[in-house]
Amino acid sequence: MTGHVAAQTLAVIGAGPSGLAAARALSKAGIAFDGYEASRGVGGLWDIENPRSTMYESAHLISSRTTTQFAEFPMETDADYPGHRVLLEYFRAYAERFGLATHYRFGTRVTAIDRAADGGWMLRATGPDGETEKRYDGVVIANGTLAEPNVPRFPGRFDGEILHTSAYKTGPQLAGRRVLIVGAGNSGCDIAVDAVHHAASVDMSVRRGYYFVPRYLFGKPSDTLNQGRPLPARIKQFVDTRVLRAFTGDPVRFGFPKPDYRLYESHPIVNTLILNHLGQGDLRIRADIERFEGATVHFRDGTAADYDTVLLATGYRLDYPFVDRAELNWSGWSPRLFLNVFPPSFTGLYIMGMIEASGIGWQGRYEQAELIAAYLSAAPAVQAAFRRRVSAEPWPDLTGGYHYLGLERMSYYVNKDAYRRAVRDATRALTAGG
């Protein structure tokens, strides 16, 4: 039911995967919009030339091509895990195929979004034409979740170089240096594998244990297995833990702590090369950092070592700097949104891409965009009924039965199957008229 819907104009902030998904869904629904992108073109962080990109030269997908791509636009590559340059070309082709780039103002950074007197939103931006201001009925915020580095503080002073992984681009940056990588997430492990070919030495400081998933199991990309009816959480954890043990062994023998959580309760590491290099003696695992002292790093297990570079693989913080946090119902580490999309006040702001989930891919984000478009296209009475349900009824459980770690980076984590099912249900309710 979409008749008698008043004409409206939206703004979309960002031209990475989430922004392009929003642009495509709005365009398909016939909703007018302007796009804003601070960089030179589409691609977001996948454009390594983008000044805000956190990409590095060796970066590839950690989910496979077929589980990651937009369903209506398959990638033209046979690579199972393509690299960032292939992916940038994919986004450019996607934008060209559906005429999305023409809607965008590139090189234009949004500086503020404030409520307009009439209930809409005033968007201010700076770009090639200087400062601009325009009113919109709504704003889709899709500027990504991996741009603002999370930089922890440690006691003491380190006299060497401290870098966040966002500043890392290529292995030769670390040539001849004694390197300590703090954190062993996917980026940290990727960079460690780079570093062993260039650095004088490489250590990794870790707080907790990890589960390591091979990119291939039984000759196929590991995330393409069991794509049918999802197993209950406990059964999947039981089965997959034993499969991983058979393929990768126990990471504890390489120096990692034993995980204090079950598989999939934190994002697994899709990199077993790190275990190979540990087995070859190319790097070693260290305990959590206690303090710095000149060139020396002291660890909590009483050991110490000297380094030239400390590389912080400590992740990112959510960052929507152009809008008041209260407008996004911010609670703790992240906004509390219905389906990670709608602030419960329903004032015309929509968040795209504030989801992390193993295997959700860009299609999962496109389904978010379809939900936003369905809401905007619905008749006023249908929208009102949707808002009432959000206000009055319990929100869907998006965990899929998994008990995710209580960490900042997990505060907007969802189970892909539970999430996509809930989003599709909400979209069907809107398109069916109630």
Side-chain angles (χ1 to χ4, degrees):
M1 182 176 178
T2 58
H4 309 294
V5 179
Q8 53 196 323
T9 302
L10 276 288
V12 175
I13 302 174
S18 293
L20 292 177
R24 170 61 177 149
L26 294 177
S27 179
K28 199 172 179 181
I31 299 169
F33 70 93
D34 296 328
Y36 292 83
E37 168 55 52
S39 188
R40 60 177 181 169
V42 304
L45 67 85
W46 292 100
D47 179 5
I48 199 170
E49 303 300 328
N50 176 349
R52 295 187 77 228
S53 175
T54 56
M55 199 56 52
Y56 42 92
E57 283 292 355
S58 62
H60 290 70
L61 281 179
I62 60 170
S63 55
S64 65
R65 164 177 47 86
T66 57
T67 63
T68 307
Q69 65 194 3
F70 293 115
E72 67 174 342
F73 196 74
M75 294 187 200
E76 292 187 357
T77 178
D78 293 329
D80 291 322
Y81 297 95
H84 65 91
R85 297 191 187 280
V86 173
L87 296 171
L88 177 58
E89 290 306 313
Y90 173 72
F91 293 125
R92 287 173 172 169
Y94 181 81
E96 182 177 356
R97 169 66 179 82
F98 298 114
L100 305 180
T102 57
H103 293 271
Y104 274 89
R105 304 176 186 185
F106 293 108
T108 303
R109 181 173 59 88
V110 173
T111 56
I113 307 168
D114 296 303
R115 289 181 188 251
D118 63 358
W121 294 91
M122 295 302 300
L123 183 149
R124 292 195 296 277
T126 182
D129 300 324
E131 300 286 337
T132 60
E133 185 176 62
K134 186 173 179 179
R135 181 205 173 276
Y136 291 97
D137 296 292
V139 181
V140 180
I141 300 173
N143 61 312
T145 62
L146 301 175
E148 184 62 25
N150 176 31
V151 180
R153 296 183 180 276
F154 298 99
R157 188 191 73 197
F158 182 64
D159 289 343
E161 175 186 48
I162 298 180
L163 295 174
H164 188 271
T165 52
S166 58
Y168 172 82
K169 294 300 178 185
T170 184
Q173 280 180 255
L174 306 176
R177 303 185 73 79
R178 297 167 297 176
V179 176
L180 176 66
I181 299 174
V182 181
N186 280 289
S187 293
C189 288
D190 279 356
I191 293 169
V193 170
D194 281 356
V196 297
H197 301 292
H198 299 277
S201 65
V202 183
D203 290 356
M204 298 187 80
S205 169
V206 300
R207 287 184 176 182
R208 57 170 40 89
Y210 298 84
Y211 293 94
F212 292 85
V213 177
R215 295 202 173 197
Y216 291 93
L217 285 170
F218 308 108
K220 296 181 179 180
S222 55
D223 64 355
T224 64
L225 303 176
N226 188 31
Q227 286 294 303
R229 186 180 180 87
L231 294 171
R234 288 293 176 263
I235 295 175
K236 184 170 176 59
Q237 287 171 319
F238 178 85
V239 172
D240 289 6
T241 297
R242 279 148 186 79
V243 170
L244 291 186
R245 193 171 296 157
F247 275 83
T248 63
D250 186 355
V252 172
R253 70 180 292 266
F254 295 106
F256 283 101
K258 182 178 177 60
D260 56 357
Y261 58 95
R262 291 188 174 97
L263 180 62
Y264 303 128
E265 292 178 351
S266 181
H267 205 81
I269 308 305
V270 189
N271 183 330
T272 51
L273 287 175
I274 191 78
L275 302 181
N276 294 347
H277 284 294
L278 284 165
Q280 292 171 184
D282 298 331
L283 58 91
R284 57 184 168 173
I285 301 300
R286 292 285 198 172
D288 195 15
I289 293 174
E290 180 182 79
R291 72 184 191 277
F292 293 145
E293 185 180 12
T296 304
V297 178
H298 295 268
F299 300 99
R300 294 194 182 277
D301 62 357
T303 62
D306 292 347
Y307 299 96
D308 303 303
T309 297
V310 172
L311 188 60
L312 302 174
T314 47
Y316 298 86
R317 297 183 184 275
L318 286 178
D319 188 36
Y320 305 116
F322 37 72
V323 64
D324 190 317
R325 285 191 167 199
E327 300 287 4
L328 300 180
N329 194 37
W330 207 289
S331 177
W333 288 315
S334 59
R336 185 171 182 270
L337 311 174
F338 180 68
L339 297 179
N340 290 29
V341 173
F342 299 97
S345 56
F346 283 91
T347 55
L349 297 180
Y350 313 92
I351 301 292
M352 273 288 306
M354 197 195 82
I355 46 172
E356 287 296 331
S358 182
I360 200 163
W362 299 319
Q363 184 61 24
R365 289 159 173 80
Y366 180 71
E367 288 167 7
Q368 281 189 311
E370 286 186 310
L371 173 59
I372 294 171
Y375 175 78
L376 293 169
S377 300
V382 175
Q383 291 181 339
F386 182 79
R387 293 193 297 269
R388 283 196 298 271
R389 286 196 300 274
V390 170
S391 176
E393 297 177 5
W395 291 4
D397 177 10
L398 306 178
T399 68
Y402 294 92
H403 301 290
Y404 297 124
L405 290 178
L407 304 174
E408 181 171 3
R409 63 183 171 82
M410 302 295 293
S411 64
Y412 50 98
Y413 206 89
V414 299
N415 172 261
K416 69 177 177 66
D417 299 304
Y419 184 79
R420 293 179 73 174
R421 182 167 55 248
V423 167
R424 290 167 179 169
D425 287 347
T427 302
R428 277 193 295 268
L430 286 164
T431 55

